[in-house]
Every structure is written in structure tokens, then in C-alpha cells.
Amino acid sequence: MASLFGRTSTQDLSNRSQEPRKSQESTLFVGLLGAPFASASTPYLGGKASTCDTREVEMPSQVANWIRQLVYCPPKATDSTSSVKKLRRANELAQAAKLVSDFCEHYPALHIEPTPEALEELALSCSSLPRSAVAKAFNEQLSWSSGDMEWQPRLRALFALEYLCGQESRLSRTLVRKVVAEAQDILRHLVTEVPQCREKAAQVLALPQLSSHSIRAL
């Protein structure tokens, strides 16, 4: 407070020297909250020569939303992981479909029945792929979804299923169970309507390793 004689007291000088420091502290607090808060600041944020402190800072609704998003927003890495899994699954399905179709559709004209070497090679290749992908490939090969009506590829698929089920690998038997469970209607149709596939389709349906439900369905 100025004295009556125009002099400044020691207390007044001390108060004025602390005012810039308060302004600087308030500005730093605003900076921690980010640019959106700073752009919406008010004169009460502690400008030059202001006497307010950080306890008087107003909290606009947009700042509250910004903080809420910062805390609760889920990480974007989840979307990336999901995309990678989808691409991997699509690649596995494509590999299995090509593997089975090449085996069933490419064969010598006079030797429809596959050789033991060809069956062994197929089983080895299938072991490196998920059972679900291979099972889907066999189901598509047995069905008429591709528009192919020839019986020869389906007969070779039946030979392959019979061979896989006779392997000691539990994974191979589980694969065959899955195919038969999902393609029982197709197999029954081959038994009743396709003479060239009738015997082998009946054998696949009656394989002893299949579930009791599959055997009863025959």
C-alpha cells in the first residue's frame, strides 16, 4: 500500500513480486491439460497481474470429455490384432482349398484311385494346417457348390478321408469326424444317387472310428 508521502511499502513490493509467479504456475497447469483446454480458457485462468490461483480454474465440458477419452478409450492395437487374425485365417482356408482341390481334380485319366504315395503326401501336407480349414476344403470338394458335377473328384476325396481316418494320428481321425458330421447329407446322396461313389461313401460313413451318432445316421 502506498504511503501518504508517495512511497511504496515493503509489503507492497513483496506482493507484486509474487504475482508473476502465480501467473506462471496457472499457465503451467493449463498446459498439462492440453491445447483444447488452453484455447477455451477464461480470464480467470491466471493471466498477467491476475491474483487467482489454480484452485479457481474453471473446467469446461469439452475438457472433461477429453480427459474421459484419454482414460477410457480402448487401445487401437485390438483392431490391428483382429485384422491379422482374419488375414491368417483367410490364408489358411485358401491353402487348404488348393491342397484338396489339386489332389482331387488332378489325376491320370486311367487311374482315378489315388496311389499310396499321393495319399501319404496329402496327409503330410494337411498336418501343417488347422483341422477346421482342411475339413471345410473337403466339404466344399464333396458338395456341388462349385458347380462341378463330375463324380471322379468326389471319389478321390472319399479315398483320402478313408486313408486319413486309418492313420494313427488322433488329429487325422478328428478331422474325418468333423467332415462326416458336417457332410452327412452329401455322403448319403452319394450312396443313393451316384453309383460310382456308392461303395466308398458307405465305407466312409461306417468307419469304426466315427462317433456313434454318425454310425447310427447311416
Side-chain angles (χ1 to χ4, degrees), residues 105 141-154:
E105 298 173 9
Q141 189 65 53
L142 291 171
S143 71
W144 287 265
S145 60
S146 64
D148 185 8
M149 304 300 293
E150 295 183 355
W151 57 268
Q152 292 90 339
R154 293 175 176 82

PDB file of all heavy atoms in Angstrom, residues 105 141-154:
ATOM      1  N   GLU A 105      -8.730 -83.145 -58.143  1.00  0.00           N
ATOM      2  CA  GLU A 105      -9.069 -82.801 -59.519  1.00  0.00           C
ATOM      3  C   GLU A 105      -7.956 -83.078 -60.524  1.00  0.00           C
ATOM      4  O   GLU A 105      -8.212 -83.062 -61.732  1.00  0.00           O
ATOM      5  CB  GLU A 105      -9.495 -81.333 -59.586  1.00  0.00           C
ATOM      6  CG  GLU A 105     -10.732 -81.028 -58.749  1.00  0.00           C
ATOM      7  CD  GLU A 105     -11.055 -79.540 -58.693  1.00  0.00           C
ATOM      8  OE1 GLU A 105     -10.402 -78.788 -59.453  1.00  0.00           O
ATOM      9  OE2 GLU A 105     -11.931 -79.150 -57.906  1.00  0.00           O
ATOM     10  N   GLN A 141     -15.287 -79.777 -51.528  1.00  0.00           N
ATOM     11  CA  GLN A 141     -14.969 -80.695 -52.613  1.00  0.00           C
ATOM     12  C   GLN A 141     -16.079 -81.727 -52.808  1.00  0.00           C
ATOM     13  O   GLN A 141     -16.411 -82.105 -53.939  1.00  0.00           O
ATOM     14  CB  GLN A 141     -13.643 -81.404 -52.321  1.00  0.00           C
ATOM     15  CG  GLN A 141     -13.103 -82.220 -53.495  1.00  0.00           C
ATOM     16  CD  GLN A 141     -12.723 -81.349 -54.672  1.00  0.00           C
ATOM     17  OE1 GLN A 141     -11.974 -80.393 -54.540  1.00  0.00           O
ATOM     18  NE2 GLN A 141     -13.257 -81.654 -55.844  1.00  0.00           N
ATOM     19  N   LEU A 142     -16.664 -82.178 -51.721  1.00  0.00           N
ATOM     20  CA  LEU A 142     -17.747 -83.167 -51.815  1.00  0.00           C
ATOM     21  C   LEU A 142     -19.053 -82.542 -52.289  1.00  0.00           C
ATOM     22  O   LEU A 142     -19.876 -83.223 -52.920  1.00  0.00           O
ATOM     23  CB  LEU A 142     -17.959 -83.836 -50.456  1.00  0.00           C
ATOM     24  CG  LEU A 142     -16.843 -84.767 -49.969  1.00  0.00           C
ATOM     25  CD1 LEU A 142     -17.083 -85.168 -48.521  1.00  0.00           C
ATOM     26  CD2 LEU A 142     -16.739 -86.003 -50.864  1.00  0.00           C
ATOM     27  N   SER A 143     -19.262 -81.299 -51.995  1.00  0.00           N
ATOM     28  CA  SER A 143     -20.516 -80.637 -52.346  1.00  0.00           C
ATOM     29  C   SER A 143     -20.516 -80.224 -53.816  1.00  0.00           C
ATOM     30  O   SER A 143     -19.552 -80.441 -54.545  1.00  0.00           O
ATOM     31  CB  SER A 143     -20.729 -79.414 -51.452  1.00  0.00           C
ATOM     32  OG  SER A 143     -19.799 -78.398 -51.799  1.00  0.00           O
ATOM     33  N   TRP A 144     -21.633 -79.588 -54.202  1.00  0.00           N
ATOM     34  CA  TRP A 144     -21.764 -79.114 -55.585  1.00  0.00           C
ATOM     35  C   TRP A 144     -21.743 -77.588 -55.622  1.00  0.00           C
ATOM     36  O   TRP A 144     -22.258 -76.980 -56.558  1.00  0.00           O
ATOM     37  CB  TRP A 144     -23.070 -79.648 -56.177  1.00  0.00           C
ATOM     38  CG  TRP A 144     -23.003 -81.115 -56.488  1.00  0.00           C
ATOM     39  CD1 TRP A 144     -22.688 -81.679 -57.687  1.00  0.00           C
ATOM     40  CD2 TRP A 144     -23.238 -82.188 -55.582  1.00  0.00           C
ATOM     41  NE1 TRP A 144     -22.705 -83.053 -57.596  1.00  0.00           N
ATOM     42  CE2 TRP A 144     -23.049 -83.401 -56.300  1.00  0.00           C
ATOM     43  CE3 TRP A 144     -23.578 -82.281 -54.231  1.00  0.00           C
ATOM     44  CZ2 TRP A 144     -23.186 -84.652 -55.728  1.00  0.00           C
ATOM     45  CZ3 TRP A 144     -23.716 -83.531 -53.651  1.00  0.00           C
ATOM     46  CH2 TRP A 144     -23.534 -84.691 -54.397  1.00  0.00           C
ATOM     47  N   SER A 145     -21.156 -76.981 -54.632  1.00  0.00           N
ATOM     48  CA  SER A 145     -21.131 -75.518 -54.562  1.00  0.00           C
ATOM     49  C   SER A 145     -20.339 -74.896 -55.705  1.00  0.00           C
ATOM     50  O   SER A 145     -20.618 -73.776 -56.133  1.00  0.00           O
ATOM     51  CB  SER A 145     -20.543 -75.068 -53.219  1.00  0.00           C
ATOM     52  OG  SER A 145     -19.218 -75.561 -53.068  1.00  0.00           O
ATOM     53  N   SER A 146     -19.346 -75.617 -56.218  1.00  0.00           N
ATOM     54  CA  SER A 146     -18.524 -75.079 -57.308  1.00  0.00           C
ATOM     55  C   SER A 146     -19.190 -75.249 -58.672  1.00  0.00           C
ATOM     56  O   SER A 146     -18.714 -74.701 -59.670  1.00  0.00           O
ATOM     57  CB  SER A 146     -17.162 -75.781 -57.320  1.00  0.00           C
ATOM     58  OG  SER A 146     -17.310 -77.166 -57.595  1.00  0.00           O
ATOM     59  N   GLY A 147     -20.276 -76.018 -58.726  1.00  0.00           N
ATOM     60  CA  GLY A 147     -20.942 -76.266 -59.998  1.00  0.00           C
ATOM     61  C   GLY A 147     -20.391 -77.457 -60.757  1.00  0.00           C
ATOM     62  O   GLY A 147     -20.912 -77.819 -61.823  1.00  0.00           O
ATOM     63  N   ASP A 148     -19.349 -78.086 -60.233  1.00  0.00           N
ATOM     64  CA  ASP A 148     -18.757 -79.256 -60.879  1.00  0.00           C
ATOM     65  C   ASP A 148     -19.575 -80.494 -60.529  1.00  0.00           C
ATOM     66  O   ASP A 148     -19.736 -80.825 -59.357  1.00  0.00           O
ATOM     67  CB  ASP A 148     -17.311 -79.417 -60.416  1.00  0.00           C
ATOM     68  CG  ASP A 148     -16.594 -80.556 -61.140  1.00  0.00           C
ATOM     69  OD1 ASP A 148     -17.175 -81.112 -62.096  1.00  0.00           O
ATOM     70  OD2 ASP A 148     -15.457 -80.883 -60.743  1.00  0.00           O
ATOM     71  N   MET A 149     -20.069 -81.206 -61.544  1.00  0.00           N
ATOM     72  CA  MET A 149     -20.932 -82.357 -61.314  1.00  0.00           C
ATOM     73  C   MET A 149     -20.207 -83.690 -61.480  1.00  0.00           C
ATOM     74  O   MET A 149     -20.824 -84.753 -61.336  1.00  0.00           O
ATOM     75  CB  MET A 149     -22.125 -82.309 -62.288  1.00  0.00           C
ATOM     76  CG  MET A 149     -22.929 -81.026 -62.222  1.00  0.00           C
ATOM     77  SD  MET A 149     -23.647 -80.712 -60.583  1.00  0.00           S
ATOM     78  CE  MET A 149     -24.814 -82.067 -60.496  1.00  0.00           C
ATOM     79  N   GLU A 150     -18.931 -83.684 -61.767  1.00  0.00           N
ATOM     80  CA  GLU A 150     -18.193 -84.928 -62.007  1.00  0.00           C
ATOM     81  C   GLU A 150     -18.047 -85.718 -60.707  1.00  0.00           C
ATOM     82  O   GLU A 150     -17.878 -85.155 -59.619  1.00  0.00           O
ATOM     83  CB  GLU A 150     -16.822 -84.617 -62.592  1.00  0.00           C
ATOM     84  CG  GLU A 150     -16.883 -83.982 -63.983  1.00  0.00           C
ATOM     85  CD  GLU A 150     -15.501 -83.768 -64.557  1.00  0.00           C
ATOM     86  OE1 GLU A 150     -14.512 -84.027 -63.835  1.00  0.00           O
ATOM     87  OE2 GLU A 150     -15.406 -83.330 -65.719  1.00  0.00           O
ATOM     88  N   TRP A 151     -18.102 -87.034 -60.835  1.00  0.00           N
ATOM     89  CA  TRP A 151     -18.010 -87.891 -59.663  1.00  0.00           C
ATOM     90  C   TRP A 151     -16.566 -88.250 -59.302  1.00  0.00           C
ATOM     91  O   TRP A 151     -16.276 -88.617 -58.154  1.00  0.00           O
ATOM     92  CB  TRP A 151     -18.801 -89.186 -59.895  1.00  0.00           C
ATOM     93  CG  TRP A 151     -18.354 -89.977 -61.117  1.00  0.00           C
ATOM     94  CD1 TRP A 151     -18.856 -89.877 -62.372  1.00  0.00           C
ATOM     95  CD2 TRP A 151     -17.319 -90.963 -61.155  1.00  0.00           C
ATOM     96  NE1 TRP A 151     -18.196 -90.742 -63.220  1.00  0.00           N
ATOM     97  CE2 TRP A 151     -17.255 -91.435 -62.496  1.00  0.00           C
ATOM     98  CE3 TRP A 151     -16.453 -91.512 -60.218  1.00  0.00           C
ATOM     99  CZ2 TRP A 151     -16.355 -92.408 -62.922  1.00  0.00           C
ATOM    100  CZ3 TRP A 151     -15.550 -92.487 -60.624  1.00  0.00           C
ATOM    101  CH2 TRP A 151     -15.502 -92.927 -61.954  1.00  0.00           C
ATOM    102  N   GLN A 152     -15.641 -88.148 -60.262  1.00  0.00           N
ATOM    103  CA  GLN A 152     -14.255 -88.576 -60.007  1.00  0.00           C
ATOM    104  C   GLN A 152     -13.581 -87.796 -58.868  1.00  0.00           C
ATOM    105  O   GLN A 152     -12.968 -88.426 -57.980  1.00  0.00           O
ATOM    106  CB  GLN A 152     -13.428 -88.473 -61.292  1.00  0.00           C
ATOM    107  CG  GLN A 152     -13.807 -89.452 -62.385  1.00  0.00           C
ATOM    108  CD  GLN A 152     -14.868 -88.881 -63.318  1.00  0.00           C
ATOM    109  OE1 GLN A 152     -15.594 -87.945 -62.949  1.00  0.00           O
ATOM    110  NE2 GLN A 152     -14.965 -89.438 -64.526  1.00  0.00           N
ATOM    111  N   PRO A 153     -13.641 -86.464 -58.843  1.00  0.00           N
ATOM    112  CA  PRO A 153     -13.019 -85.745 -57.721  1.00  0.00           C
ATOM    113  C   PRO A 153     -13.616 -86.116 -56.371  1.00  0.00           C
ATOM    114  O   PRO A 153     -12.896 -86.183 -55.366  1.00  0.00           O
ATOM    115  CB  PRO A 153     -13.282 -84.277 -58.067  1.00  0.00           C
ATOM    116  CG  PRO A 153     -13.450 -84.257 -59.546  1.00  0.00           C
ATOM    117  CD  PRO A 153     -14.137 -85.531 -59.872  1.00  0.00           C
ATOM    118  N   ARG A 154     -14.899 -86.392 -56.336  1.00  0.00           N
ATOM    119  CA  ARG A 154     -15.542 -86.771 -55.073  1.00  0.00           C
ATOM    120  C   ARG A 154     -15.100 -88.164 -54.625  1.00  0.00           C
ATOM    121  O   ARG A 154     -14.922 -88.414 -53.429  1.00  0.00           O
ATOM    122  CB  ARG A 154     -17.063 -86.701 -55.231  1.00  0.00           C
ATOM    123  CG  ARG A 154     -17.554 -85.278 -55.441  1.00  0.00           C
ATOM    124  CD  ARG A 154     -19.041 -85.200 -55.728  1.00  0.00           C
ATOM    125  NE  ARG A 154     -19.448 -83.809 -55.824  1.00  0.00           N
ATOM    126  CZ  ARG A 154     -19.309 -83.060 -56.920  1.00  0.00           C
ATOM    127  NH1 ARG A 154     -18.773 -83.580 -58.015  1.00  0.00           N
ATOM    128  NH2 ARG A 154     -19.677 -81.794 -56.913  1.00  0.00           N
TER     129      ARG A 154
END
